[in-house]
Amino acid sequence: MTLSLRHQPRSRLFVLAGIAVALVGLLGWFATGPLRSASADATPVSQGKPATASSSEGRAYPASAAVDGDTGTRWSSAFSDPQWLQVDLGAPTAIGKVVLQWERAYGTAYQIQTSSDGTAWLTVYSTTTSKGGKETLTVNAMSRYVRLYGTARSSGYGFSLWEFQVFGTSGAPATATVGPVTGGPSSAGPVPTGGATPTSTATAQAGWIMAPNPVTNVKPSHEVPPNKGGFHEFQANCSVSRSNLQDDPIVFPGLAGASHMHTFMGNTTTNANTTVDSLVAGSTTCKAKGDLSAYWMPTLYNGDVAVNPEGLQTIYYKTGVQDYRTIRPFPKGLRFVVGNAKNTDADKFLAATEKGFECGDSYENKNIPLSCPTDRSVKLNIRYQAPSCWDGLHLDSPDHQSHMAYPIDTHSAAGVVCPDDHPVAVPKLEFKMAWPVNGDMSKVHFASGAGPTFHYDFVNAWDDRTLKAMIDGCIVAARQCDAQGHDGRDDQQPAPYVLNNNYVLP
């Protein structure tokens, strides 16, 4: 009686599959020469590097078998979803390509994800229609860790890979698509494990926007500056420039009305079609006329009535690291999102603020208080801080956050420093917003939802000379400044800045 392959024992199937692979390989050798013929990227940067996996079918199928360069050994997972395989490249690496060589048991749906710390993952490629075999995926990312995250299998067996190959160059920027801001994920905030899921490689590529003048060969400073105390900051005092528009040029570029309602400050031209050129050609509601940057946040509502901040609001530019002497200006066109429009973690939100939501004498509130004193002077306040360490390579990333990072505490004399994979210290933005609302706060919410969904967006369009003068004369010089003066876009000297002791910066 003849048995079908479906009913053959798995061990016999392995033998049959091995014979078939050997015959195909032998024929291929005669037709094209050795399978491992020399090429420009013959050796993947993942080969021989530490690999781990969510599970293994057995001792004969370890994670390391997928990165050993031997197409006769493989990793095979347990027979369930999801499963993952990851490799530690040992250092931040510019990744240009990932090659998957599947065994018969392949993944029909999976993601390629990257991470700087092996904990927070960003999806840079996603598919639900894989046919197995050998797949070559174009991936543009700068990362240390790379993983395959499988969510659906082709059969009742596990995910099985002969080889998981990552190609790139350690320490060098990837070749990324340069162009307008792209859409990315629909949520304006950090991508959780599993990440955003672009529907094509092109979408993932377009999310990485290379800086025209990348900053390389920089290491985070661990030096202790002479003046650790005092102020190292200046204020960008800006009022509302455009209110209650459903536009978001970072998350939904070119799609007017596609986002939740936003309140804009600074540049008066910001809309869904905003570009750096349009900002530079615009005007501003900020005191420093050289600050043509775009700032925006979700609109606050009391019931169904929009409540906008009144008058100048403070946007601090501070040092985020202990060695304030290393702060550099933002590159023109740098953009990022601070916070998460879908955040439900009130503790995480509180940790990124100065004192949480404040009103009257009530502080450290994780959410908008249900009531506030009714005195006319009482307003709802928030001070929310942005990451201040840049990767030096990208003006934007697919989730609009991965090119930026918060400093880390060394628990040493060096204090707070930038992480190695985001070594460039830039000013720390801190939104200090005040909304004229008090009394019964039970119906107060943001267009994005409850209090912890508060977030804000930034596109740098400062006049270069003005921003540098401000950083050098205030943050690096250990002063506290209030920005004033002309726009700096002519032949005059950069705008003067009045300090808290009335000294005028030349």
Side-chain angles (χ1 to χ4, degrees):
M1 182 177 65
T2 301
L3 294 175
S4 69
L5 288 178
R6 172 64 63 184
H7 295 90
Q8 291 284 357
R10 187 161 172 81
S11 60
R12 182 172 295 179
L13 287 175
F14 290 161
V15 173
L16 293 174
I19 293 172
V21 169
L23 288 174
V24 171
L26 186 60
L27 290 173
W29 188 94
F30 280 109
T32 63
L35 291 174
R36 297 184 187 179
S37 58
S39 66
D41 55 2
T43 303
V45 293
S46 55
Q47 189 163 310
K49 297 296 174 61
T52 54
S54 53
S55 66
S56 174
E57 182 183 346
R59 293 183 179 180
Y61 312 106
S64 59
V67 294
D68 62 3
D70 185 351
T71 54
T73 63
R74 63 187 175 90
W75 164 71
S76 182
S77 76
F79 304 168
S80 63
D81 301 320
Q83 300 290 339
W84 54 262
L85 170 74
Q86 76 180 49
V87 60
D88 178 1
L89 303 179
T93 300
I95 302 162
K97 182 173 67 175
V98 172
V99 176
L100 306 177
Q101 297 187 47
W102 292 102
E103 193 243 357
R104 289 181 308 105
Y106 61 91
T108 58
Y110 63 84
Q111 301 165 13
I112 300 298
Q113 301 176 335
T114 60
S115 174
S116 60
D117 58 7
T119 301
W121 294 91
L122 172 68
T123 297
V124 295
Y125 177 84
S126 178
T127 183
T128 58
T129 58
S130 171
K131 302 300 182 183
K134 182 176 180 179
E135 296 184 280
T136 300
L137 314 174
T138 300
V139 173
N140 288 293
M142 187 73 179
S143 194
R144 172 174 173 174
Y145 299 87
V146 184
R147 80 174 177 180
L148 166 81
Y149 188 82
T151 55
R153 293 161 290 133
S154 62
S155 68
Y157 299 121
F159 294 87
S160 184
L161 280 170
W162 295 111
E163 283 293 288
F164 178 57
Q165 299 175 316
V166 179
F167 294 89
T169 305
S170 180
T175 301
T177 302
V178 179
V181 184
T182 57
S186 58
S187 62
V191 177
T193 300
T197 54
T199 57
S200 68
T201 306
T203 301
Q205 289 180 24
W208 290 101
I209 308 299
M210 285 296 294
N213 298 298
V215 178
T216 58
N217 300 319
V218 173
K219 293 184 178 180
S221 173
H222 287 251
E223 295 185 11
V224 179
N227 178 13
K228 293 186 291 184
F231 294 100
H232 307 86
E233 64 186 42
F234 64 87
Q235 299 176 11
N237 295 317
C238 309
S239 59
V240 173
S241 58
R242 309 197 77 192
S243 61
N244 311 332
L245 296 176
Q246 290 182 281
D247 289 358
D248 190 327
I250 291 181
V251 179
F252 296 106
L255 299 175
S259 74
H260 54 244
M261 205 71 75
H262 284 109
T263 298
F264 296 83
M265 291 179 292
N267 203 290
T268 61
T269 68
T270 312
N271 59 37
N273 298 308
T274 285
T275 65
V276 175
D277 289 342
S278 70
L279 293 176
V280 171
S283 59
T284 183
T285 62
C286 299
K287 286 177 67 177
K289 299 308 177 185
D291 184 8
L292 295 165
S293 302
Y295 310 91
W296 65 95
M297 59 189 177
T299 299
L300 185 80
Y301 285 88
N302 188 356
D304 57 2
V305 177
V307 180
N308 291 309
E310 297 175 339
L312 291 173
Q313 303 296 303
T314 301
I315 301 172
Y316 286 106
Y317 282 62
K318 300 181 175 184
T319 180
V321 295
Q322 178 164 287
D323 192 355
Y324 53 86
R325 302 167 300 177
T326 64
I327 304 299
R328 299 171 181 245
F330 294 124
K332 186 69 68 65
L334 181 74
R335 56 190 72 103
F336 52 78
V337 178
V338 184
N340 188 344
K342 295 186 177 180
N343 179 48
T344 58
D345 189 336
D347 290 323
K348 184 176 181 180
F349 172 80
L350 180 63
T353 69
E354 186 71 21
K355 290 288 184 178
F357 286 105
E358 308 172 31
C359 63
D361 294 328
S362 178
Y363 302 92
E364 304 286 350
N365 294 291
K366 301 178 184 179
N367 211 325
I368 298 173
L370 293 177
S371 64
C372 288
T374 57
D375 297 347
R376 293 185 62 184
S377 62
V378 173
K379 298 180 180 181
L380 177 68
N381 289 267
I382 191 67
R383 294 176 64 175
Y384 195 16
Q385 291 142 359
S388 56
C389 297
W390 177 44
D391 68 6
L393 303 173
H394 302 98
L395 297 179
D396 200 0
S397 51
D399 65 347
H400 315 301
Q401 294 187 324
S402 292
H403 58 306
M404 304 295 296
Y406 284 96
I408 55 176
D409 191 345
T410 63
H411 301 289
S412 69
V416 180
V417 305
C418 284
D420 290 340
D421 55 357
H422 290 73
V424 183
V426 292
K428 176 178 71 175
L429 295 189
E430 180 184 292
F431 260 42
K432 183 181 179 182
M433 301 292 112
W435 294 271
V437 59
N438 57 31
D440 180 6
M441 305 281 286
S442 61
K443 296 181 180 180
V444 176
H445 64 280
F446 292 106
S448 51
T453 69
F454 177 76
H455 57 283
Y456 58 90
D457 303 56
F458 167 69
V459 180
N460 174 45
W462 274 88
D463 168 72
D464 294 334
R465 295 174 64 207
T466 305
L467 180 59
K468 187 177 189 310
M470 183 64 103
I471 290 173
D472 291 346
C474 303
I475 297 178
V476 175
R479 296 184 176 119
Q480 184 183 40
C481 308
D482 178 13
Q484 295 186 33
H486 65 76
D487 63 12
R489 289 184 291 172
D490 49 31
D491 293 332
Q492 303 179 57
Q493 292 297 313
Y497 296 93
V498 181
L499 307 178
N500 58 354
N501 60 359
N502 294 320
Y503 173 80
V504 178
L505 182 70

